[in-house]
């Protein structure tokens, strides 16, 4: 494996360098919060049927997406079997949809309360890492990336940070900022699966901010959840369902198109290349990226890392000969993202 520094050095030959962040980015900052096991422990299942929580035990997992996928698959299969209970099918679908909301609440309730919960040295390390890239794509829902980008008082770096959100033209005193496709030129930060602070208000995409209200973002989000307003959030179980959700949102669909068009070098950090995100992995296979650098955590020859390496190499083999893809692997811990 390469070190992260060696990988960045190799990538210097390309005009553009990009990064796709997975949950490992957040886990490396606060492992006691962002791993699925911790979210499961904090989740409130009381709004669902008792079977919804038992489904995790039946599948021997604490992965919300896996259970959501299983419940939806079960409801689809039962719907074609004569004599299946319509009530049971509806319960399965209701619990699958309800688990999305449970997950949102679990993340928001356990999230660090304010940016000061992260130290200046942690922000400094993270910003140094992010400064290596022209475009930043994240599959995470939390506020850590946003906080790190905004925390520019800890260094002299000019981290490029345009998420496309602007003050509404017709409401300069608005408590939020909005995103429109026409204003996204130059945007280099994309929340590919949505985020806790990004809300679909029907007629516009809104982003909650601290600077416009003086109220902590996490408090604003928790207040919105209590009022039954939910953030733009892709937590469907399967890749196909996630893609369907993405294509029904102008913001998410634009992010996908941006990701599919990148060239140069792409770093994948903190992601297992799992099949439930194939809708983005396949874009790499079809795309114009010339060199893929994939971060591996821990023993390079662990079963999980062997699976990651196999999937990455398969992406290269699925490329056409006219647009070859080179693949390299680096030690993700050597990136020192937060420390």
């Amino acid at each position: 494996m390469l070190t992260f520094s060696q990988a960045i050095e190799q990538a210097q030959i390309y005009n553009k360098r990009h990064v796709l962040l997975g949950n490992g980015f957040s886990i490396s900052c606060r492992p006691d919060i962002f791993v699925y096991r911790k979210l499961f422990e904090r989740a409130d299942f009381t709004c669902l049927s008792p079977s919804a929580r038992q489904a995790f035990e039946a599948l021997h997992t604490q992965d919300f997406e896996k259970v959501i996928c299983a419940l939806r698959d079960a409801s689809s299969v039962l719907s074609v079997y004569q004599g299946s209970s319509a009530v049971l099918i509806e319960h399965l679908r209701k619990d699958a949809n309800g688990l999305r909301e449970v997950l949102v609440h679990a993340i928001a309730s356990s999230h660090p309360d304010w940016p000061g919960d992260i130290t200046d040295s942690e922000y400094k390390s993270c910003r140094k890492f992010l400064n290596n890239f022209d475009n930043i794509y994240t599959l995470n829902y939390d506020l850590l990336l946003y906080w790190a980008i905004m925390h520019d008082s800890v260094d002299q770096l000019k981290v490029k940070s345009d998420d496309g959100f602007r003050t509404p033209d017709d409401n300069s005193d608005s408590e939020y900022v909005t995103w429109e496709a026409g204003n996204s030129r130059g945007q280099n930060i994309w929340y590919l699966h949505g985020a806790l602070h990004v809300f679909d208000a029907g007629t516009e995409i809104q982003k909650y901010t601290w600077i416009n209200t003086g109220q902590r973002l996490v408090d604003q989000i928790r207040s919105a959840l209590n009022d039954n307003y939910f953030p733009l959030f892709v937590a469907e179980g399967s890749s196909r369902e996630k893609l369907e959700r993405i294509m029904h949102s102008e913001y998410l669909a634009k992010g996908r198109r941006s990701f599919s068009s990148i060239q140069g070098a792409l770093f994948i950090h903190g992601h297992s290349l799992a099949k439930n995100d194939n809708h983005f992995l396949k874009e790499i296979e079809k795309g114009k990226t010339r060199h893929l650098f994939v971060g591996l955590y821990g023993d390079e020859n662990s079963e999980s890392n062997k699976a990651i390496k196999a999937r990455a190499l398969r992406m290269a083999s699925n490329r056409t000969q006219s647009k070859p893809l080179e693949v390299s692997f680096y030690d993700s811990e050597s990136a020192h993202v937060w420390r």
Side-chain angles (χ1 to χ4, degrees):
M1 277 195 297
L2 300 171
T3 65
F4 179 72
S5 295
Q6 290 171 334
I8 288 294
E9 182 65 27
Q10 285 192 16
Q12 295 295 330
I13 64 173
Y14 302 104
N15 291 330
K16 297 287 185 179
R17 294 180 301 278
H18 320 278
V19 67
L20 174 65
L21 301 175
N23 199 39
F25 171 82
S26 301
I27 291 174
S28 63
C29 178
R30 291 294 183 270
D32 58 332
I33 293 176
F34 293 108
V35 295
Y36 263 125
R37 175 174 54 83
K38 294 297 183 180
L39 292 174
F40 178 81
E41 291 172 358
R42 294 183 175 94
D44 180 5
F45 295 95
T46 56
C47 61
L48 305 177
S49 70
S51 299
R53 193 183 191 286
Q54 294 168 4
F56 287 84
E57 300 173 10
L59 294 171
H60 305 290
T61 187
Q62 294 178 337
D63 187 327
F64 280 81
E65 293 180 3
K66 184 175 181 179
V67 175
I68 291 170
C69 184
L71 293 177
R72 287 184 171 162
D73 285 348
S75 68
S76 296
V77 171
L78 285 176
S79 66
V80 301
Y81 274 81
Q82 188 173 3
S84 296
S85 167
V87 174
L88 174 59
I89 293 171
E90 181 57 28
H91 274 169
L92 290 167
R93 290 173 177 167
K94 183 178 180 180
D95 282 348
N97 292 332
L99 279 175
R100 292 180 68 254
E101 298 179 8
V102 169
L103 177 58
V104 174
H105 276 285
I107 294 175
S109 64
S110 61
H111 198 285
D113 283 332
W114 66 301
D117 288 340
I118 314 299
T119 67
D120 283 353
S121 63
E122 288 174 317
Y123 282 126
K124 191 172 183 179
S125 294
C126 185
R127 288 171 55 82
K128 181 179 179 181
F129 168 78
L130 296 173
N131 198 45
N132 289 292
F133 306 108
D134 295 283
N135 288 293
I136 301 169
Y137 300 92
T138 179
L139 297 169
N140 301 332
Y141 314 117
D142 59 70
L143 302 175
L144 295 186
L145 173 62
Y146 176 69
W147 284 351
I149 290 295
M150 297 300 293
H151 214 83
D152 57 6
S153 61
V154 298
D155 54 40
Q156 302 300 314
L157 298 177
K158 302 297 182 182
V159 181
K160 186 181 177 184
S161 56
D162 184 353
D163 62 8
F165 285 87
R166 309 284 187 263
T167 301
D169 293 334
D170 58 351
N171 187 4
S172 59
D173 296 325
S174 171
E175 293 185 349
Y176 53 82
V177 290
T178 60
W179 180 90
E180 295 180 7
N183 293 331
S184 62
R185 180 173 296 181
Q187 181 173 348
N188 75 308
I189 295 178
W190 293 92
Y191 297 91
L192 296 178
H193 281 165
L196 282 176
H197 61 313
V198 177
F199 284 71
D200 187 344
T203 59
E204 60 187 6
I205 302 296
Q206 302 174 352
K207 185 184 80 171
Y208 288 8
T209 67
W210 173 85
I211 195 169
N212 288 20
T213 64
Q215 183 182 9
R216 293 187 300 188
L217 272 179
V218 171
D219 290 338
Q220 293 182 58
I221 293 163
R222 290 171 181 164
S223 177
L225 289 171
N226 288 334
D227 292 334
N228 291 319
Y229 291 107
F230 284 87
L232 185 61
F233 205 83
V234 179
E236 278 67 18
S238 69
S239 175
R240 178 187 60 79
E241 290 171 329
K242 287 182 178 181
L243 180 57
E244 182 177 345
R245 170 87 165 119
I246 288 169
M247 298 310 293
H248 281 80
S249 165
E250 184 180 23
Y251 171 82
L252 297 176
K254 184 68 182 291
R256 177 174 174 266
R257 290 196 298 273
S258 172
F259 182 77
S260 66
S261 68
I262 57 175
Q263 302 182 39
L266 172 64
F267 284 67
I268 298 182
H269 188 89
H271 193 274
S272 64
L273 309 190
K275 64 180 181 180
N276 58 357
D277 286 326
N278 266 342
H279 50 291
F280 284 113
L281 303 184
K282 288 181 178 178
E283 292 302 318
I284 299 173
E285 294 177 355
K286 297 185 297 183
K288 299 178 181 178
T289 306
R290 295 175 59 189
H291 201 143
L292 180 64
F293 294 88
V294 181
L296 300 177
Y297 178 81
D299 180 5
E300 179 181 5
N301 295 311
S302 68
E303 290 303 313
S304 58
N305 279 336
K306 285 180 180 178
I308 292 173
K309 291 164 71 174
R311 181 65 182 96
L313 294 174
R314 193 160 69 251
M315 280 191 270
S317 65
N318 288 341
R319 270 289 182 91
T320 62
Q321 292 185 351
S322 62
K323 296 184 293 183
L325 175 64
E326 185 175 354
V327 177
S328 300
F329 301 97
Y330 68 92
D331 176 8
S332 60
E333 289 184 279
S334 70
H336 301 295
V337 176
W338 294 101
R339 293 169 182 81

